Amino acid sequence: MLPQAFQDRMQKLLQTEYEAFLQSYEKPLQKALRINPLKTSEEAFEAQVDWKLRSVPWEPMGRYYDATLKEELDGPGKHPFHQAGVYYIQEPSAMAPVAYLDPQPGERILDLCAAPGGKTTQIGARMDGQGVLVCNEIHPARAKILSENIERFGIRNGYVCNETPQKLEKAFPEYFHRILVDAPCSGEGMFRKNEEAEVEWSPDVVEMCAGRQREILECAVHMLLPGGRLVYSTCTFAPAENEETIQWLLDTFPEMELVDTEKIAGMEGGRVEFLQNPNKDIVKTIRLWPHKVDGEGHFLAVLQKRDLNTNKNAGEEKSKKNKDKRKQNGDSRQPIGEWQQFQKEALTIDIPERMLVFGEQLYCTPDPAIDIRGLKVLRPGLHLGTLKKNRLEPSHALALALSPKDVVHSCSFPADSTEIKNYLQGQTFSYTGENGWYLICVEGYSIGWGKCTGGTMKNHYPKGLRK
């Protein structure tokens, strides 16, 4: 049962559309996934699965799938391809903000409210390992989930931070080319999908969220380079969190302007009738209504920062300084013999030695590196492995970032094979081959490490992921 106060407000806002809006709650949920181009192509993926797929209009790699699939038996959530990071299960409307952010390889990009990682992995996939992606989550438990999803997707150039927007603002003034603020909100657009959001909703929650969103946006504006793009998004219908928030932003920061972007069929502009004394540019924002698109309720605004700053190269200068500070970010002992030995024995590719060592953990940082001193960082780039006595034990993250052509030894099994089932449960299996590290793959996609010793493949799939 929808909250009465919510119904009253929506009826007033939608008027003649209200009945169609209500009827959308009777429709089945639209389920979708997003193919990971870091690991496969659209054509290869569609040839490997027998699910009924159709394209998501606003995301080239997005696919609706048959909602009648029984997840516990044959659905995408239980398939080994999911554990291998071949795709990410994501609500279709939630794919729109990153499509409009339009990330480019080589840029510096910030996902400010990033957990659980759907939009972050979407950004990382488009960056193709080039540039630097900073993804932040203020809640520690959610930041850990974010880090795990980045690992599963094979993203090499991502930092995972667990900080306040205010702390990041001090660290990165006018630094990022693009910033996504997928703001914490009252979640009205998720009522069909998440009953908890409906139970926790109230008009007071809407107002609280609106205040918090403005604090986050203020930090984001200060971190954006002149000429840079900021995308603000929510999964709520509330004008206080959408059109009113963007109007506040335009009034408060004259350097920010809305970008007039193409709206895909079913999308519509923000509604100026929701506002008092509206800025006429509010129609450039975008609403996704569940009675007009195959997806849940979403709002987004695409903004650009006018170049009012005389120092046009502030971000580039800071990036250059950070390269000189790289050695101060951790133990910088070079060369790292344990890594070089592992790379020689197990890999066929060279991974750049932009190394950071924290305790026993070895990471490869993105280039350009960022100055992480004083910040809470869960993942400063690609986790390569753990330094043991005179050796390196490779990480699960490294396995998921590699393909069979990148390693000396690999073995691949069908998705429905006993070997893959047993591997995901942490079991060893017999294998005839040379001793050493093997990349275990499911139909050509890496899923973890194994180590062959005397005809037995020892299992190195993380205990926390085993089923």
Side-chain angles (χ1 to χ4, degrees), residues 112 165-166 169 208-221 248:
L112 189 49
Q166 290 77 13
E169 177 191 350
M208 178 194 70
C209 289
R212 183 186 301 162
Q213 290 153 2
R214 296 179 184 193
E215 292 177 4
I216 294 171
L217 277 171
E218 183 172 0
C219 296
V221 169
W248 167 86

Side-chain angles (χ1 to χ4, degrees), residues 410-414 417-442 447-461 466:
S410 67
C411 53
S412 185
F413 305 97
S417 66
T418 301
E419 288 88 352
I420 287 296
K421 180 180 179 181
N422 290 343
Y423 178 77
L424 294 176
Q425 292 176 347
Q427 299 178 26
T428 61
F429 57 89
S430 298
Y431 188 80
T432 302
E434 296 182 6
N435 290 348
W437 287 102
Y438 279 72
L439 193 65
I440 309 298
C441 301
V442 52
I447 201 167
W449 291 110
K451 193 170 188 181
C452 188
T453 305
T456 298
M457 188 68 73
K458 295 182 179 180
N459 195 309
H460 284 262
Y461 194 67
R466 295 175 185 177

Side-chain angles (χ1 to χ4, degrees), residues 206-269:
V206 170
E207 293 303 318
M208 178 194 70
C209 289
R212 183 186 301 162
Q213 290 153 2
R214 296 179 184 193
E215 292 177 4
I216 294 171
L217 277 171
E218 183 172 0
C219 296
V221 169
H222 293 152
M223 287 187 279
L224 188 65
L225 271 171
R229 172 171 288 201
L230 185 154
V231 170
Y232 171 80
S233 65
T234 72
C235 57
T236 191
F237 302 113
E241 301 177 70
N242 295 333
E243 286 92 349
E244 289 180 26
T245 292
I246 295 303
Q247 179 139 317
W248 167 86
L249 181 69
L250 297 173
D251 291 343
T252 306
F253 299 99
E255 67 270 31
M256 299 302 295
E257 60 183 348
L258 281 164
V259 177
D260 194 4
T261 55
E262 180 183 358
K263 297 176 178 65
I264 294 164
M267 296 179 178
E268 67 172 40

Side-chain angles (χ1 to χ4, degrees), residues 46-114:
E46 291 181 347
Q48 287 178 300
V49 299
D50 58 2
W51 305 322
K52 296 177 182 177
L53 302 174
R54 60 187 178 91
S55 296
V56 175
W58 42 85
E59 169 51 59
M61 304 304 286
R63 296 292 186 277
Y64 295 99
Y65 64 86
D66 186 356
T68 64
L69 287 171
K70 296 180 180 178
E71 287 290 356
E72 68 275 11
L73 297 177
D74 54 5
K78 294 294 183 180
H79 199 284
F81 284 0
H82 185 252
Q83 279 75 22
V86 181
Y87 54 81
Y88 191 102
I89 296 174
Q90 188 176 19
E91 196 282 313
S93 293
M95 299 180 191
V98 173
Y100 282 93
L101 184 68
D102 192 25
Q104 299 296 314
E107 293 180 327
R108 299 186 297 274
I109 300 178
L110 170 65
D111 187 353
L112 189 49
C113 314

Side-chain angles (χ1 to χ4, degrees), residues 137-156:
E137 174 55 46
I138 193 171
H139 299 289
R142 286 170 55 81
K144 183 179 179 182
I145 295 170
L146 168 66
S147 185
E148 290 171 352
N149 280 323
I150 286 176
E151 174 180 286
R152 186 169 58 83
F153 229 60
I155 293 172
R156 301 186 183 196

